[in-house]
Every structure is written in structure tokens, then in C-alpha cells.
Amino acid sequence: MSNIITVKDMCLWYGDHKALNNVNIDIPEKSITAFIGPSGCGKSTFLKTLNRMNDLIPGVKITGDIRYEAKDIFGRDVDVNNLRKEIGMVFQKPNPFPMSIYDNVAYGPRTHGITNKVQLDEIVEQALRDAAIWDEVKDRLKKNALGMSGGQQQRLCIARALAVQPKILLMDEPTSALDPISTSRIEELVMELKEKYTIVIVTHNMQQAVRVSDYTAFFLLGELVEFGKTDDIFSQPKDKRTEDYITGRFG
Amino acid sequence: MRNRFDEQLFELNREIIEMGSMCEDAIASASKALSTGDMELAAKVCENGSAIDRMERDIEDRCMKLLLHQQPVARDLRLISAALKMITDMERIGDQAEDIAEIVTFLNGHTMEGMEMIEEMAHETIKMVTASVDAFVKKDIELAKKVIARDDVVDDYFSRVKCGIITLIAENHADGEFALDLLMIAKYLERIGDHATNIAGWVIYSMTGTHKEV
């Protein structure tokens, strides 16, 4: 399996505060990688760096080398909009736009210039199918998305991210605001999505990392402490700090 | 932060040690009854068998609860899963000690004369059981490895005892039943050695996450 993202000696500062220190990681393609670690350890910051969402925060300085499909994501010829189309993101709280379900999903493709109705219909249906929500919404595509349940809204947001045909989906605690049933639907969905996409997921739910991910990265105080196969990390971690964190001895 | 969990693990540890020592007692008493022909002692071993079975259930329950409530990972998960496996081996040791004691009650005053090797074998087996429990108590990987290596000695005893029994049958045709009883006892002892080996293997697993290749 090849690595879709490679990161070498990456550091990040918020002003004077060094939030990430010398991170090195290779993210394998078409697999699920979980980032775990206590609050403030830098895992969300690192996640957002991967599609340059941190560019929007004033005072952020990044050094090191981050490559997506072997290309420097900070390279001069990189179109950030295009990068974010390829590397989509789903946030902790579902954030559908205040418009119809259909328009939510069609929003991305339209911004990227697709206007043909038949083509849009196809994209919307496929994205909603991939996000395992098509059957629930196919009869009310014109209804406002804000009328959906939290779990449905989150799957709609996943559909919206998928509609622009990304290769990577970054998910920042996508189930922390959902009930157990919606959570397990999203988890099932994530596991299905890895057939076509690479998924990177930040989670505070240790069992979720065990259940869904193939690889786990443990962050602590801005450092990537340990990265490896999830089964190995959770059965015999190599670093004592990982062991202490996952067994609840600190954090 | 995880005081309650640590207390429960401590309690689990304590129970395993207790069950281990019950097994040591069972096999030591069965062996003593065999040497001395002490029927009362043999009967007592049979009685205590059910206490070991109950202990296994209790520990099993505790492990299930810990798995359910704490969803353990890493070292904790290894300890609890090793505990579940170890108590099965301990329970078997208890059963086999009971089986030996039961045979002793049928021996009808036959003595071990000429078959001292079985007593030596029993002695060696008890040492293995004790050492495997000790390895767990002290979290001693080296001791656990020694137990595993020691299994060959017990296996070797079994082969020699078997030869001795064949000679016994050749010399005294009339006592076939006694000879078979002795063979059963030797086989039980050999199995107890295997269970002690398994326990030692689980001690190593719970500490390192890997099995020693057998």
C-alpha cells in the first residue's frame, strides 16, 4: 500500500507557541488512520494542516515538508481550493448550510463549475448513497437540511464533502456530538468509505479508534509519540507514554 | 484517576494467586496420599475440587465485568485475557489432582514399592505448578521460561514410568489393574505439567504481549 501523505520534520507555531514539534508520519492510502491524544496535544492542528485549513489562522508558521501524492502542499503552484477539494473535511458539529438537502450536496460541484442539471443530479445521488443517507432523504431533497436529525446532518456533511470527489477525508471528532446509534452508523460508513477514500479521523473515543481505524497515531504535547497498526498500538504499545494514555493513567 | 480499576485488577491478581495456591495444595496432597496411601487425605482432595471450580467461576465473572466496564487495552487487556486462559489451566490441574486422589482410593493398599519413579515425577510436577504460580505472582519472565523448559523433564519421566509399568506387567500378570491405575496417574501428572507450562506461557504473554514459541 502506498502512502498518500508523507510528512517530514514538520513544526507549527501559533505566534510564539510551538504547537507541533518535528512530526514525521506517512499516511497509507485507502485506509483509516486515527489521531488520538489528550486535548491540546496538537492532533486537530495537525489534521487541519493537511488541507491547509490553518492558513486561515493569523500568526501560524509552519516548517518542514508535507507532501500529498508526492507534491509539496505549500508549493507555489498549488491551488488551495483544489487541494481542499481533494482533501475534504468533516467537522465535530454537523454544519449543513441553511438550504435544501440537494443544494447542500450540489454546492461544492457548482462552485467547481458544474451546472448541468442531469450531471448534478447524478453527483448528488451518488454522494448521498456513498454517505449512506440516500434512502432516508431521496423523497425530500428539496427540504431544508436544518430540519434533519444530528446524525443525518453529519452524514449530509459527509455527502457534501464526497460530492467534490475528494481522495482524502479528514474528520475532526465526527461523532462526538451524536448519539450511539448515529455514531455507529457513521462508524460503519467510515469503514465502507475506505474502499474508495483515505480517511483520517481525530477521536477522543478510544474504543472508536480501536473499532474503525487501521492505523493509530498518538500525539502528546505537540509530539507524535507513536504511530503504528491500531491492533499493535492497543495491544502492545511500544512507548510507555502511549500505554499510560490509552490505559487511562493520565490524560 | 483509575483507582477503582486498579483496585479491581489488584483483586483479580489476588484471586488468581489464591486459586493457584489451591491447585498447588491439591496436587501436593494428591501426591502425598499416593505415597502414603492416606485415604482421608485423598478424600479431602476430592472435596476441595469443587472449591477450585467455584473459584474459576468467580474469577471468570470478575474478568467479564472488567472487560465490560473498563474496556481495557494494552497491558490491562493482556492481563485480563491471560487470567481467563490461566484459570482454565488451573481448573484442569485441580481436576487432575482430584482424579489422581480418586485412583488412590481404589488402590486397595497397593504400595508404590518399585514405582518410586512416579513419586519423583509427582515431585517434579508440583515444582512446575508452584513455579508457574510464583512466576505470575512475581511477574518473573525468567522463572516462567524455566517452567516451560522443565516440561521436557516431566515428559521424560512419563516415558520412563511407562517402561517401568510395562516391566511390572511382564513380571506380575495378575496385577494388571494396578498397573493401569499407575499409568493413569502418570498420564495425569504429565498433563498437569502441560497445564503449568501453559500458565507460564500466559505469564509471559501478559507481560510482553508475545508468546514464547513452544
Side-chain angles (χ1 to χ4, degrees), chain A residues 207 234-236 243 247 249, chain B residues 2 71 73-75 78 209:
Chain A
Q207 291 303 323
F234 283 95
S235 58
Q236 35 182 328
E243 169 109 29
T247 57
R249 286 185 169 81
Chain B
R2 34 169 284 170
Q71 308 200 338
V73 292
R75 184 174 1 148
R78 296 201 305 268

Side-chain angles (χ1 to χ4, degrees), chain A residues 102 146 237:
Chain A
Y102 183 98
L146 298 177

Side-chain angles (χ1 to χ4, degrees), chain B residues 142-182:
Chain B
E142 286 313 309
L143 185 57
K145 283 182 184 163
K146 275 184 199 152
V147 173
I148 293 171
R150 209 70 196 154
D151 193 39
D152 288 344
V153 177
V154 171
D155 287 350
D156 186 50
Y157 263 115
F158 179 66
S159 306
R160 285 190 286 147
V161 166
K162 206 164 69 178
C163 291
I165 291 170
I166 292 169
T167 316
L168 191 77
I169 295 174
E171 286 168 359
N172 185 357
H173 300 281
D175 238 351
E177 197 180 341
F178 175 58
L180 281 183
D181 282 343
L182 289 182

Side-chain angles (χ1 to χ4, degrees), chain A residues 29 32-33 50-52 104 107 121 124 127 129-130 132-133 153 159 173 196 200 217 246 248:
Chain A
E29 191 181 30
I32 303 170
T33 301
L50 298 179
N51 71 347
R52 291 184 56 181
N104 260 278
Y107 190 90
D121 283 354
V124 169
R129 279 188 190 282
D130 282 354
I133 195 176
Q153 287 187 8
E173 295 186 54
K196 292 195 205 166
V200 185
I246 61 173

Side-chain angles (χ1 to χ4, degrees), chain A residues 24-147:
Chain A
N24 287 282
I25 190 172
D26 293 337
I27 294 174
E29 191 181 30
K30 291 190 180 149
S31 64
I32 303 170
T33 301
F35 291 173
I36 60 167
S39 298
C41 68
K43 56 191 188 305
S44 289
T45 296
F46 183 64
L47 187 79
K48 285 180 198 136
T49 311
L50 298 179
N51 71 347
R52 291 184 56 181
M53 293 288 274
N54 286 333
D55 288 14
L56 307 170
I57 301 169
V60 166
K61 192 180 101 187
I62 297 166
T63 61
D65 187 57
I66 302 179
R67 284 172 189 273
Y68 160 65
E69 293 193 320
K71 275 200 309 255
D72 181 0
I73 66 164
F74 294 106
R76 241 179 242 161
D77 56 338
V78 170
D79 171 358
V80 178
N81 285 330
N82 208 45
L83 180 77
R84 290 184 193 143
K85 173 181 169 297
E86 305 245 316
I87 309 179
M89 191 146 190
V90 176
F91 298 88
Q92 182 173 3
K93 269 180 76 181
N95 55 351
F97 304 138
M99 51 179 76
S100 75
I101 294 170
Y102 183 98
D103 288 339
N104 260 278
V105 184
Y107 190 90
R110 277 177 181 144
T111 349
H112 289 282
I114 298 171
T115 49
N116 181 303
K117 173 86 171 70
V118 179
Q119 204 185 346
L120 272 177
D121 283 354
E122 269 174 27
I123 292 172
V124 169
E125 177 173 344
Q126 192 54 50
L128 288 167
R129 279 188 190 282
D130 282 354
I133 195 176
W134 172 252
D135 287 337
E136 288 162 61
V137 300
K138 62 181 178 202
D139 300 323
R140 50 180 178 129
L141 292 173
K142 296 292 166 202
K143 291 261 166 64
N144 194 307
L146 298 177

Side-chain angles (χ1 to χ4, degrees), chain A residues 206-207 210-211 233-237 240 243-244 246-251, chain B residues 1-2 5-6 9 70-78 205 208-210:
Chain A
M206 223 60 81
Q207 291 303 323
V210 177
R211 276 194 299 269
I233 296 269
F234 283 95
S235 58
Q236 35 182 328
K240 186 170 181 303
E243 169 109 29
D244 286 349
I246 61 173
T247 57
R249 286 185 169 81
F250 73 79
Chain B
M1 183 179 321
R2 34 169 284 170
F5 187 18
D6 281 334
L9 286 177
Q70 304 289 354
Q71 308 200 338
V73 292
R75 184 174 1 148
D76 302 327
L77 177 64
R78 296 201 305 268
Y205 173 80
T208 63
T210 50

Side-chain angles (χ1 to χ4, degrees), chain B residues 62-185:
Chain B
R62 181 181 291 282
C63 289
M64 292 302 178
K65 279 201 187 107
L66 282 170
L67 290 174
L68 178 66
H69 296 170
Q70 304 289 354
Q71 308 200 338
V73 292
R75 184 174 1 148
D76 302 327
L77 177 64
R78 296 201 305 268
L79 172 70
I80 295 167
S81 47
L84 276 169
K85 299 290 287 182
M86 265 192 293
I87 57 172
T88 310
D89 283 303
M90 287 180 177
E91 189 270 338
R92 298 304 303 153
I93 291 175
D95 274 357
Q96 279 148 355
E98 207 179 318
D99 291 334
I100 292 173
E102 204 181 331
I103 294 176
V104 170
T105 61
F106 297 147
L107 286 182
N108 285 329
H110 274 289
T111 62
M112 287 295 114
E113 205 183 321
M115 287 306 296
E116 287 82 5
M117 212 191 302
I118 287 196
E119 292 178 55
E120 287 167 30
M121 184 181 180
H123 188 64
E124 200 57 52
T125 312
I126 294 167
K127 275 207 296 201
M128 278 181 77
V129 174
T130 306
S132 69
V133 176
D134 268 4
F136 177 77
V137 175
K138 296 177 186 149
K139 311 270 174 253
D140 185 339
I141 295 180
E142 286 313 309
L143 185 57
K145 283 182 184 163
K146 275 184 199 152
V147 173
I148 293 171
R150 209 70 196 154
D151 193 39
D152 288 344
V153 177
V154 171
D155 287 350
D156 186 50
Y157 263 115
F158 179 66
S159 306
R160 285 190 286 147
V161 166
K162 206 164 69 178
C163 291
I165 291 170
I166 292 169
T167 316
L168 191 77
I169 295 174
E171 286 168 359
N172 185 357
H173 300 281
D175 238 351
E177 197 180 341
F178 175 58
L180 281 183
D181 282 343
L182 289 182
L183 184 64
M184 296 281 279
I185 290 171

